[in-house]
Amino acid sequence: MSDSGRFDRLDALRGAAIVWMAVFHFCFDLNHFRLLSPVQDFYRDPFWTVQRAMIVTLFVFVAGLSQAAALEAGQAWPRFWRRWAQIAGCAVMVSAGSALMFPRSWISFGILHGIAAMLIAVRLLAPLRIGLWPLGLALILLPQFVQHPFFDTRLTNWVGLVTRKPVTEDYAPLLPWLGVMCFGLAAGQLHAQGGADATALAAEFRRTILDNPNRTMMGSTQEQWFASTLAESKQRGQVWQIITQQVVMADQIAPQGMTRLLPPD
């Protein structure tokens, strides 16, 4: 975390996903208006379908990481619902806009709809912690083995257990994508636990060593050796005694967050 309270690496991942999505949709729009030559098939060409899957994976995984950071920071349900309402509101606008542009393939459950639903689910599943890994794997694999015509309608295809992909401009059902978000949440919790362990170790180091009023830089054994060596040098009539020391007396570039773990002196 930076001094501003932002998670720089998380923001970088989120930014990469947004830029990638913007480029993808820009190409889609160019193709829609027949400005790409040759005309591209965004629905069947692996070059585009794989990219779409990777973009969705990155977005959903980062959303899971973000939930882990929010829960670690103690985000309460009221604040969660305020953030969630923004996503849900954008999802409604996507449905309305796509219905005007693509009345036959409008978006009823796209990436924003999916993220809105999955955020609620992973927040409730967060106490599973390490259990999120096998659960996520099961959720990802389930649609490969279970499909039923019941889930082929617009009212039910949001689950993901469809026998055929619906005709829509965007489709991100709970399954398998909820499994990806579970992976993101579990990874975020693992990272947070590692940071908590490091903070605890640093606190113990400060308590037992740094804040010990009896500590010295050299220790009694080295101090005795140093004093005897200087005395022997003086007895030999040595004019100059040059002493090197290891204390850095200049500005330093330290790892991010180091000043929160150890005192700057």
Side-chain angles (χ1 to χ4, degrees), residues 1 15 41 59 63 65 79 99 106 132 163 166 168-169 185 206 226 240 245 249:
M1 181 188 291
D41 188 347
F59 261 110
L65 288 175
R79 186 176 181 185
W106 65 282
L132 289 167
T163 61
T168 178
E169 298 302 318
L185 176 61
R206 286 192 67 171
F226 182 60
W240 291 93
Q245 55 88 27
M249 303 181 69

Side-chain angles (χ1 to χ4, degrees), residues 218 225-226 230 240-246:
M218 299 175 63
W225 169 85
F226 182 60
L230 285 178
W240 291 93
Q241 283 111 11
I242 300 176
I243 303 170
T244 61
Q245 55 88 27
Q246 72 274 29

